[in-house]
Amino acid sequence: MTLSITSIPSPVSQVTKKLKDAGFESYLVGGCVRDLFIGRTPKDWDITTNATPEQIIAIFPDSFYENTFGTVGVKTESEDPTLKVIEITPYRLESEYTDKRRPDAVEWSKTLDHDLKRRDFTVNAIAIDERDGKLDIIDLFHGQEDLENKVIRTVGDPHLRFSEDALRIMRAIRLSVELGFHVEHETEVAIKTHAKLLGHISKERIRDEFSKIILSPHPEDGISFMRNTGILPFVIPELEEGFGMEQNQAHSYDVWTHTLKTVQHSADKQFPFEIRLAALLHDIGKPRTRRFSRETNQYTFYGHEVVGAKMANEILERLKFPRKTIEIVTKLVRWHMFFSDPEAITLSAVRRMVVNVGKEHIWDLMNVRNCDRIGTGRPKENPYRLRKYKSMIDEALRDPITVGMLKIDGKDIMEALKDRPGPKIGLILNALMEEVLDNPAKNTREWLLERTHELAQEDEATLKKQAAIGKDKKDQAEEAELKKIRGKHKVQ
Ligand code: ATP
Ligand code: MG
């Protein structure tokens, strides 16, 4: 593997140099080194040193304690968000893990070897230092070789390492899908053996790794691996109910496979997190609602979106997702079936749907729907009905051209003219509409009120004529807008 010193940003080099000038050792380590080797942009920069937290703080007066692991954050001048704070952690030695979660005590060490040995995976346990213009690479566990072969392997005995800290199981899966690596055989065997230790890990920490799996380029592989290794029961056991669950003729796949294809498509499209979660959970209610219909000789899943929305809510609450995420995902699951009956779509049904999921999420719903369609394994290319639906959403979302667009209403006119309700008010509104359609700048309260008084002086025939022209113009403008929307979606 090749790596050049120039790939290390100068704010980082400045920090390591300062530590070394003060007489300490200083290495880049962990995720940033791994990412540099494979040409990914590091998310953050971690430095490890034989200085103690107090000694580090003495060298960087502006720095602050980041956590109980002795990590010190050094602020830099950099505008780059990944470089604003550089973390320095003293060499660590870890002792007993009695609760399978956290070391009982964090102890500092004087040697880099100890620090590398306590790290989770070989690819995360490489340290580098620039010395005399050359790179010094400390790779005690052959991490470079595993990077080359795209392998995730624990540092040391995987059974021991997963027993020490079961979160590493989730990290192994997460890293493999983020990087497109595979989990080495012994490491995989140990994951299977120790899967149940995940029961000791907090839901929040499981959620964070799980979220990264969903946001990775390969959620399908991650979830599939979680099932094969017995991890799924500790994350979303409900997903497993779909395994081998046959569907009706519209589907090539069982519920499980369809679900994986659907969430994978959401990743291929780089959709945001909520859409990906909804893609994963959209059919979660199917297994519990499946019935066999003798009439059609097929399975039915009536109400699976209602049951599914409830289940999605439970699942996401259990994993302690934020309320907002839960709300969005649950809504998307609840309404994902909304156009199962394409022949019967009406504009008012579409309007109701926009109200149900909310204007801000209607296109998310369309995206979930699209993933669902691709996930059946028999998708049609953007079929007519889908385009028609999108066109109707655009129609439902637009503000129609009506006298309601005017900055004054019938009540204002009656007040201005000290008049009572009657046909004259409507005539004036339409007449005003005629002028505003010609020149939208006229749509202000002042102008309209002034003009109202003038129009009120006109004789009835003149007023009627202008009102009729106004109504005509309005209808034409409406039609032109609808035509434009339909043209955009290539539908009638
Ligand atoms: P990312 O790119 O997501 O930041 P990362 O590998 O840097 O990935 P971090 O959580 O930032 O992950 O951890 C930094 C480093 O600390 C890791 O590379 C690894 O060496 C070590 N590490 C993190 N968590 C553990 C753990 N549970 N057990 C052992 N070592 C760990
Ligand atoms: Mg990191």
Side-chain angles (χ1 to χ4, degrees):
M1 305 232 108
T2 50
L3 190 65
S4 74
I5 293 172
T6 51
S7 31
I8 301 169
S10 75
V12 177
S13 308
Q14 280 165 23
V15 173
T16 54
K17 184 168 183 305
K18 257 188 144 172
L19 279 164
K20 285 186 283 185
D21 287 349
F24 296 103
E25 294 174 11
S26 162
Y27 291 89
L28 278 178
V29 72
C32 65
V33 175
R34 173 199 73 214
D35 289 344
L36 283 181
F37 271 111
I38 58 178
R40 265 173 126 225
T41 310
K43 279 205 290 287
D44 42 46
W45 297 84
D46 294 317
I47 291 170
T48 187
T49 177
N50 60 350
T52 63
E54 291 70 26
Q55 289 169 325
I56 299 168
I57 288 170
I59 299 168
F60 302 95
D62 251 6
S63 59
F64 55 94
Y65 258 114
E66 288 224 310
N67 55 37
T68 50
F69 300 124
T71 304
V72 175
V74 175
K75 287 190 204 130
T76 71
E77 304 280 286
S78 178
E79 293 292 312
D80 181 339
T82 66
L83 288 167
K84 276 195 154 64
V85 173
I86 293 169
E87 297 189 333
I88 309 177
T89 309
Y91 292 158
R92 268 165 57 187
L93 191 67
E94 275 166 2
S95 49
E96 298 288 287
Y97 285 72
T98 38
D99 64 354
K100 309 276 173 284
R101 273 189 246 197
R102 297 257 162 148
D104 291 346
V106 178
E107 280 180 56
W108 312 145
S109 164
K110 284 290 149 208
T111 77
L112 174 67
D113 293 14
H114 285 148
D115 188 83
L116 296 182
K117 202 169 159 216
R118 61 105 186 155
R119 291 184 180 267
D120 48 8
F121 306 107
T122 60
V123 296
N124 282 347
I126 311 170
I128 59 175
D129 177 30
E130 30 179 327
R131 206 177 298 166
D132 310 325
K134 275 200 302 201
L135 267 185
D136 191 10
I137 301 173
I138 318 288
D139 184 9
L140 304 177
F141 307 101
H142 311 290
Q144 290 170 93
E145 202 180 311
D146 284 342
L147 280 175
E148 200 109 44
N149 297 324
K150 300 181 182 270
V151 170
I152 300 296
R153 180 198 314 269
T154 54
V155 169
D157 176 10
H159 293 277
L160 183 67
R161 303 313 307 284
F162 291 135
S163 317
E164 283 171 359
D165 178 4
L167 185 72
R168 289 173 188 153
I169 291 175
M170 291 300 290
R171 286 180 55 89
I173 302 170
R174 186 262 282 187
L175 270 174
S176 76
V177 293
E178 277 186 344
L179 303 175
F181 284 22
H182 73 271
V183 178
E184 176 275 329
H185 180 69
E186 270 310 305
T187 301
E188 180 173 344
V189 169
I191 288 177
K192 281 186 187 151
T193 309
H194 300 288
K196 59 182 179 308
L197 295 181
L198 272 178
H200 298 279
I201 301 293
S202 81
K203 294 290 183 211
E204 287 87 343
R205 297 179 86 204
I206 290 180
R207 172 203 64 205
D208 289 347
E209 296 300 326
F210 166 72
S211 300
K212 289 180 182 173
I213 292 169
I214 297 301
L215 276 170
S216 80
H218 307 289
E220 177 175 10
D221 296 346
I223 293 161
S224 187
F225 186 92
M226 287 192 333
R227 200 192 80 81
N228 293 337
T229 48
I231 299 306
L232 208 49
F234 300 95
V235 187
I236 307 183
E238 293 88 342
L239 276 174
E240 216 148 334
E241 294 170 19
F243 190 81
M245 167 111 350
E246 236 182 85
Q247 309 198 63
N248 55 36
Q249 283 152 15
H251 290 264
S252 321
Y253 303 125
D254 66 346
V255 174
W256 168 260
T257 310
H258 165 65
T259 296
L260 293 192
K261 301 266 171 233
T262 304
V263 70
Q264 186 54 45
H265 188 70
S266 73
D268 294 344
K269 286 283 185 183
Q270 304 191 355
F271 284 145
F273 187 55
E274 285 82 6
I275 295 184
R276 295 190 193 203
L277 273 184
L280 179 71
L281 298 176
H282 77 286
D283 277 351
I284 196 77
K286 271 194 167 176
R288 298 188 189 177
T289 53
R290 189 174 79 161
R291 304 278 180 275
F292 190 76
S293 156
R294 280 171 199 278
E295 243 166 78
T296 58
N297 224 26
Q298 293 226 39
Y299 290 113
T300 64
F301 301 91
Y302 293 124
H304 77 269
E305 68 277 28
V306 178
V307 171
K310 257 197 202 139
M311 290 173 71
N313 187 70
E314 261 169 46
I315 291 166
L316 299 175
E317 269 184 359
R318 198 168 62 220
L319 288 170
K320 307 206 184 297
F321 275 101
R323 194 65 242 161
K324 186 84 198 139
T325 307
I326 300 177
E327 266 167 29
I328 297 171
V329 176
T330 306
K331 266 190 193 164
L332 294 174
V333 173
R334 172 64 185 85
W335 301 109
H336 81 273
M337 291 296 291
F338 70 115
F339 41 169
S340 54
D341 195 359
E343 266 59 62
I345 334 168
T346 60
L347 191 58
S348 64
V350 175
R351 284 212 181 92
R352 236 173 294 132
M353 190 52 51
V354 171
V355 172
N356 287 335
V357 279
K359 263 188 198 160
E360 65 282 27
H361 297 302
I362 188 72
W363 296 110
D364 294 345
L365 186 66
M366 291 304 286
N367 285 334
V368 171
R369 171 64 204 180
N370 210 33
C371 296
D372 187 3
R373 198 173 60 86
I374 302 292
T376 60
R378 298 176 185 165
K380 294 197 199 89
E381 276 306 306
N382 196 11
Y384 183 85
R385 74 158 93 145
L386 198 64
R387 296 204 308 276
K388 178 70 186 164
Y389 216 96
K390 287 181 180 168
S391 172
M392 290 175 85
I393 291 174
D394 269 346
E395 284 181 34
L397 287 176
R398 64 184 264 283
D399 296 317
I401 298 167
T402 67
V403 291
M405 283 166 45
L406 296 175
K407 287 283 188 307
I408 63 171
D409 59 13
K411 226 175 115 222
D412 295 320
I413 295 176
M414 287 186 282
E415 263 169 34
L417 302 179
K418 302 199 170 45
D419 206 346
R420 275 182 297 169
K424 191 169 180 187
I425 310 298
L427 290 178
I428 292 178
L429 279 169
N430 276 308
L432 290 171
M433 188 75 194
E434 196 265 332
E435 303 193 39
V436 166
L437 280 174
D438 270 353
N439 181 2
K442 291 179 173 172
N443 194 8
T444 65
R445 275 189 77 82
E446 299 77 54
W447 189 88
L448 292 172
L449 285 173
E450 200 184 307
R451 190 71 187 120
T452 293
H453 288 289
E454 290 168 16
L455 286 168
Q457 306 303 314
E458 300 279 3
D459 62 79
E460 196 181 320
T462 312
L463 188 57
K464 266 192 176 154
K465 206 168 137 210
Q466 195 181 334
I469 297 172
K471 222 161 161 274
D472 251 17
K473 270 195 186 158
K474 184 193 71 184
D475 291 346
Q476 279 166 21
E478 270 279 291
E479 224 165 274
E481 278 211 0
L482 293 183
K483 217 172 144 195
K484 217 166 100 193
I485 289 175
R486 290 174 188 159
K488 179 180 129 194
H489 294 283
K490 303 191 175 62
V491 297
Q492 293 294 304

